Amino acid sequence: MTTPLLICDDSLVARKQMLRALPPDWDVLVSFACDGEECLRYLEADRGHILFLDLNMPVLDGYAVLREIRARDWPTLVIVVSGDIQPEAEQRVRDLGAVQMIRKPLDPAQLQTVLVEFGLYDPSEDRRLAVHPESPDRSTTWHDVLQEQANIAMGQAGDLLARLLGVFVELSVPKVSMLAASELNMALTAGSSHHKWSGVSQGFVGGGLAGEALLLFSDSSVEDMSALLGYQDDNAPHKELEVLMDLSGILAGAFLKGLGEQLHLSPRITPPVVLGTHVTMDDLLHHNSHLWEQMLSIEVSFAVENHNILGNLLLLFTEDSIPRLQETLDYLRPDPEGAS
């Protein structure tokens, strides 16, 4: 009997990679959901006896979906597939009933091992081709690939910070967009005009790409960051600057490394430079307003749970880098010929 299987991920690239990784002779009927709310509607309609679930999604995240499945006592077998690989994230999804957590980027061999382990698939059985996708989806773009790669890279950066500090890092879905310098300032100052910020910049160049990583912290974050990093002397000179540069080295460094590995590039990263402390976002970003007229922006917001730490990691690519980046990302698309 064909098994209803549901893939829930806000990333079109991730949904297609998941579909491609399924054993081709597995007798399942595959449906797709783009967020947690849509996922619950499919489950309510009995279209997901097996669920591959992402964690960081808009509308309703994976944790909320797991809580709802438990509350309604649905017999859905859930395997989480996520770029958020913090130890605390895995413990939480297991506590909520997920049987396994697989990290992105997805390894088809690992997936098959998990399916065999839970008795969901037996490769020794003689079958014909049997995976039935519910319906075709639109073709992916290089923009889709970059967003998913940024999601994975930020998951790795969040994992590093979580392990070093013994905390849980909450991550947003990355936003990828083309911006003018004036639009960047407007986008980041929206809703934050009454707050003060501190920021650090690290440049990167190599493989035809160049740009800048900006780590921006809300003003109230510094004391909590200092305590977590173990700075004992509150009156030590330059303590605040050292805290900002240490955090930039961890988060921006890990993010750039993770993204570079997926692009098969190793850009050189310059040492961190403090842009300003306790200033408005507009003042903080003033330094780059004249550098490039257009830029490609990746923005991820983050917060440290149970601590007053809130910030944004912003990756800006120069206009000259975009053709090279697009060429590389097109090569990595799951449907490079434009087929769905």
Side-chain angles (χ1 to χ4, degrees):
M1 183 177 126
T2 301
T3 302
L5 183 149
L6 180 59
I7 297 172
C8 178
D9 199 307
D10 63 303
S11 165
L12 174 60
V13 172
R15 295 197 299 272
K16 291 201 172 193
Q17 289 174 335
M18 186 78 230
L19 179 63
R20 281 186 157 202
L22 298 178
D25 58 347
W26 194 19
D27 193 12
V28 290
L29 176 61
V30 184
S31 302
F32 304 98
C34 301
D35 58 57
E37 280 192 359
E38 190 173 26
C39 177
L40 293 177
R41 289 197 295 273
Y42 276 93
L43 293 178
E44 193 162 31
D46 197 28
R47 295 174 65 177
H49 292 185
I50 300 171
L51 169 62
F52 292 111
L53 178 66
D54 187 24
L55 288 181
N56 294 331
M57 295 182 291
V59 185
L60 196 69
D61 66 20
Y63 299 104
V65 170
L66 285 166
R67 283 192 287 272
E68 194 65 21
I69 290 172
R70 169 164 288 187
R72 300 194 191 192
D73 198 25
W74 282 331
T76 305
L77 187 146
V78 184
I79 296 173
V80 169
V81 183
S82 176
D84 186 350
I85 53 175
Q86 301 173 64
E88 179 64 22
E90 180 167 3
Q91 185 59 53
R92 290 185 184 192
V93 300
R94 287 185 180 277
D95 290 345
L96 288 168
V99 298
Q100 185 62 276
M101 182 169 176
I102 301 175
R103 66 183 296 171
K104 294 180 179 177
L106 186 64
D107 178 356
Q110 183 192 11
L111 173 64
Q112 181 162 317
T113 299
V114 170
L115 297 180
V116 171
E117 178 184 351
F118 288 98
L120 301 172
Y121 171 74
D122 183 354
S124 66
E125 291 184 4
D126 184 20
R127 302 188 184 91
R128 295 175 296 175
L129 295 180
V131 172
H132 312 289
E134 175 198 43
S135 61
D137 213 331
R138 70 170 174 85
S139 297
T140 56
T141 65
W142 66 271
H143 183 285
D144 296 321
V145 178
L146 182 58
Q147 183 177 42
E148 176 62 7
Q149 291 195 330
N151 180 52
I152 293 170
M154 194 60 197
Q156 294 170 350
D159 176 59
L160 178 60
L161 185 66
R163 291 175 188 270
L164 285 172
L165 303 183
V167 296
F168 181 68
V169 182
E170 299 169 348
L171 303 171
S172 73
V173 177
K175 289 192 294 187
V176 179
S177 52
M178 285 293 302
L179 293 173
S182 58
E183 293 172 326
L184 170 67
N185 291 11
M186 290 171 61
L188 286 172
T189 53
S192 63
S193 57
H194 301 298
H195 299 285
K196 298 291 185 180
W197 294 80
S198 299
V200 188
S201 168
Q202 287 187 263
F204 61 89
V205 62
L209 304 181
E212 185 175 12
L214 302 178
L215 195 61
L216 312 171
F217 289 103
S218 69
D219 209 30
S220 55
S221 300
V222 176
E223 285 306 314
D224 266 31
M225 290 191 297
S226 175
L228 281 173
L229 286 169
Y231 284 80
Q232 302 295 327
D233 185 359
D234 291 339
N235 298 316
H238 310 303
K239 181 192 74 171
E240 185 173 331
L241 301 184
E242 291 178 12
V243 169
L244 291 171
M245 288 193 287
D246 281 352
L247 265 295
S248 179
I250 295 170
L251 274 174
F255 182 83
L256 285 168
K257 181 175 182 292
L259 190 61
E261 287 175 349
Q262 295 176 82
L263 294 171
H264 307 294
L265 298 172
S266 302
R268 183 174 62 83
I269 305 172
T270 65
V273 175
V274 176
L275 302 175
T277 57
H278 315 295
V279 297
T280 66
M281 185 70 80
D282 195 46
D283 289 338
L284 203 61
L285 298 176
H286 179 72
H287 82 288
N288 68 9
S289 63
H290 61 285
L291 293 180
W292 316 308
E293 289 188 4
Q294 295 286 325
M295 63 189 84
L296 178 66
S297 163
I298 304 174
E299 181 192 357
V300 185
S301 62
F302 60 90
V304 176
E305 188 180 71
N306 298 324
H307 294 276
N308 193 22
I309 299 176
L310 178 68
N312 293 72
L313 179 59
L314 201 64
L315 200 64
L316 305 175
F317 292 90
T318 64
E319 194 169 2
D320 291 345
S321 301
I322 296 172
R324 170 69 171 124
L325 185 62
Q326 182 175 351
E327 177 186 354
T328 303
L329 293 166
D330 271 338
Y331 179 75
L332 297 173
R333 287 167 54 194
D335 47 4
E337 302 302 323
S340 59

